[in-house]
Amino acid sequence: MGAGISGLACAVHLARRGVAVYLYEAAAQAGGRCRSYHDARLDCVIDNGNHMLLAANRAALAYVAEIGAAATLTGSPRACFGFVDLRSGLRWSIAPNAGPVPWWILAPRRRIPGTRVRSYLAALRLARADAQATVADCLARDDPAWERFWEPLTVAVLNTAPEEASARLLWRVVRETFLRGAGACRPLIARDGLGATFVDPALALLRRHGARIVFNRRLRALAFAEGRVVGLDFGSEQVPVGGTDRVVLAVPPNVATTLVPGLEAPRDARTIVNGHVRLPAPPPPSAGMRPDFPVLGLIGGTAQWLFLRGAVASLTVSAADAVADLPNDEIAARLWHDTAAALELPPTPCPPMRIIKERRATFAQTPAALARRVAARTAWDNLFLAGDWTDTGYPATIESAVRSGRTAAALVTKRSPIANEL
Ligand SMILES: Cc1cc2nc3c(=O)[nH]c(=O)nc-3n(C[C@H](O)[C@H](O)[C@H](O)COP(=O)(O)OP(=O)(O)OC[C@H]3O[C@@H](n4cnc5c(N)ncnc54)[C@H](O)[C@@H]3O)c2cc1C
């Protein structure tokens, strides 16, 4: 149930192993929070929001390879992230070195301007953080690394402000990326959009394997008897669940809790806002947009990331609940201000911009919410849960969604969870 990335990953894994798969999706298209569509205003295909993977996301990359879409992922040839401070115009790059010892922080020219070695060693306080600690509990806000590294990193990977984000979860990310060196930090994006990399090839593979995919079919209720799911209620249609059938719920947490009695799950969500705009002119070379990886981190504005695809710039504002409450015109004006400053373009006029507000982009990754993540196995024999919000140990990302889907698939086929295989 649910054709987001977790449901697709689960379905693909099962279908390739000869399991007969029925995939039911409430929306008219697959992809869930990771989707593309044709936008009439911009007259091109855009994503609901910018998505980035890192080479450390092994399950996500394995999924993309499994569906035959590896060639559609494009990455920076090396681990290098360009940044600009929109207020001062100062530009710099973060480029971790190869290998697990981060000696790049010892070289003043490789460090973020204004930071010292101890700005990075502060990460060790994240390593020692208890389950209740937030990122802000562990790190000093008066260090320049706060504004130029820790805050943008937290918001980018946890979609939660550092004042409430889990220190432990951020530490896991640091450990699996920066502390594994450049090879793990190499950023990757979907060259032709999210649909072409994560969704359409999965649907094609499923169809080749005889899976039945039904859109516009919202699961309204589950019928239970004798410790099992025995029926699916789609409102207009009731589907019996046979003795050998298994049900995987790969729906968001706020939906899962309405379908599964007594289910505890993370409650609060955080917003991501994206603005997509067709540029009136190409940015000058001085704007430092690398042709091989046209992504820029923004400091001191409203947005945190700018992706450039052809002539369309897409800006991301994470942990954006307050921004999302503003009228679209005002959001567009702010995001165009950021775009013009980052790409050295005229600040007026503001071209037409598509604003997409994802109010439930991820769950709020606070210590309290992490304690509410649940296992894939449920109290019912033939019912399993998947979704980026389940207890994968990873932030609510594509990586977590894929892992959850494959764990559920492994339970369906009664094999050991995939987490151990990767
Ligand atoms: C704007 C934005 C930017 C992001 N950026 C990144 C990033 O840079 N890197 C990264 O790794 N991750 C990123 N993410 C997170 C990533 O998109 C999600 O973690 C992932 O897509 C979640 O997949 P899922 O399958 O767990 O959930 P969902 O995508 O929510 O899928 C659930 C599916 O279930 C369907 N459904 C709901 N109710 C029912 C029902 N009753 N019956 C049937 N179907 C139902 C929904 O329509 C949906 O298709 C971002 C998310 C957003 C929104």
Side-chain angles (χ1 to χ4, degrees):
M1 306 297 129
I5 300 301
S6 62
L8 289 172
C10 180
V12 162
H13 199 71
L14 292 171
R16 288 189 70 227
R17 282 152 187 81
V19 177
V21 171
Y22 287 72
L23 181 56
Y24 294 96
E25 165 57 48
Q29 71 172 103
R33 283 171 277 154
C34 178
R35 63 187 186 281
S36 306
Y37 73 99
H38 183 268
D39 186 89
R41 176 179 287 187
L42 300 172
D43 192 22
C44 63
V45 172
I46 58 172
D47 296 334
N48 65 317
N50 292 327
H51 280 61
M52 191 192 286
L53 292 183
L54 295 179
N57 297 152
R58 287 183 300 154
L61 297 183
Y63 163 75
V64 172
E66 189 176 21
I67 60 175
T72 67
L73 270 181
T74 177
S76 168
R78 58 196 192 97
C80 184
F81 301 85
F83 282 87
V84 57
D85 187 321
L86 298 171
R87 297 156 304 190
S88 63
L90 184 68
R91 290 173 192 266
W92 67 90
S93 296
I94 301 179
N97 53 274
V101 180
W103 56 259
W104 65 277
I105 64 174
L106 302 176
R109 276 189 304 139
R110 291 186 71 156
R111 285 202 292 267
I112 299 163
T115 61
R116 298 189 233 172
V117 176
R118 69 164 187 243
S119 309
Y120 306 88
L121 295 183
L124 296 175
R125 289 203 288 277
L126 296 173
R128 291 194 296 266
D130 65 37
Q132 305 311 320
T134 66
V135 172
D137 290 336
C138 301
L139 302 172
R141 280 175 233 213
D142 54 2
D143 190 303
W146 172 265
E147 191 194 58
R148 293 182 173 173
F149 187 67
W150 294 114
E151 188 181 28
L153 181 70
T154 307
V155 167
V157 299
L158 302 185
N159 188 31
T160 306
E163 290 75 12
E164 56 169 6
S166 160
R168 277 206 177 162
L169 196 54
L170 185 66
W171 171 245
R172 173 149 205 179
V173 175
V174 171
R175 207 179 64 201
E176 299 209 353
T177 54
F178 286 98
L179 293 184
R180 289 211 173 143
C185 297
R186 204 167 75 85
L188 297 146
I189 55 174
R191 186 192 60 206
D192 306 321
L194 299 171
T197 295
F198 296 103
V199 182
D200 302 341
L203 295 175
L205 182 147
L206 288 171
R207 289 190 176 111
R208 281 199 305 277
H209 283 80
R212 191 166 159 233
I213 304 167
V214 189
F215 292 114
N216 300 307
R217 199 64 58 91
R218 182 178 297 278
L219 181 68
R220 307 275 172 192
L222 294 166
F224 299 96
E226 295 171 2
R228 295 176 53 80
V229 177
V230 293
L232 308 173
D233 176 359
F234 291 102
S236 56
E237 190 193 359
Q238 313 295 316
V239 176
V241 173
T244 56
D245 291 340
R246 313 259 192 281
V247 178
V248 176
L249 269 190
V251 298
N254 58 317
V255 177
T257 48
T258 66
L259 295 168
V260 181
L263 180 69
E264 294 283 332
R267 287 195 199 105
D268 295 339
R270 293 290 174 267
T271 304
I272 299 180
V273 172
N274 271 262
H276 304 268
V277 59
R278 193 174 280 285
L279 299 181
S286 56
M289 220 44 190
R290 288 169 35 204
D292 58 353
F293 194 68
V295 172
L296 210 48
L298 312 178
I299 305 292
T302 300
Q304 294 102 17
W305 292 100
L306 187 157
F307 285 35
L308 194 57
R309 247 196 215 104
V312 175
S314 301
L315 290 97
T316 298
V317 196
S318 295
D321 292 65
V323 171
D325 288 340
L326 300 172
N328 280 2
D329 286 355
E330 191 174 337
I331 298 173
R334 286 192 187 197
L335 296 188
W336 178 251
H337 173 271
D338 290 358
T339 310
L343 300 181
E344 298 179 353
L345 295 170
T348 54
C350 169
M353 190 180 288
R354 170 69 64 201
I355 302 294
I356 302 177
K357 300 174 179 175
E358 288 273 5
R359 291 274 184 186
R360 304 193 67 87
T362 67
F363 73 96
Q365 297 174 73
T366 63
L370 294 183
R372 296 173 66 87
R373 292 180 106 177
V374 295
R377 205 185 285 277
T378 69
W380 290 272
D381 276 356
N382 61 345
L383 177 65
F384 305 98
L385 300 172
D388 62 353
W389 55 276
T390 58
D391 194 9
T392 60
Y394 285 80
T397 51
I398 294 174
E399 177 71 8
S400 178
V402 170
R403 281 181 184 262
S404 75
R406 294 184 64 175
T407 297
L411 289 170
V412 164
T413 55
K414 290 206 174 69
R415 291 171 61 238
S416 60
I418 191 71
N420 302 327
E421 289 175 27
L422 288 162

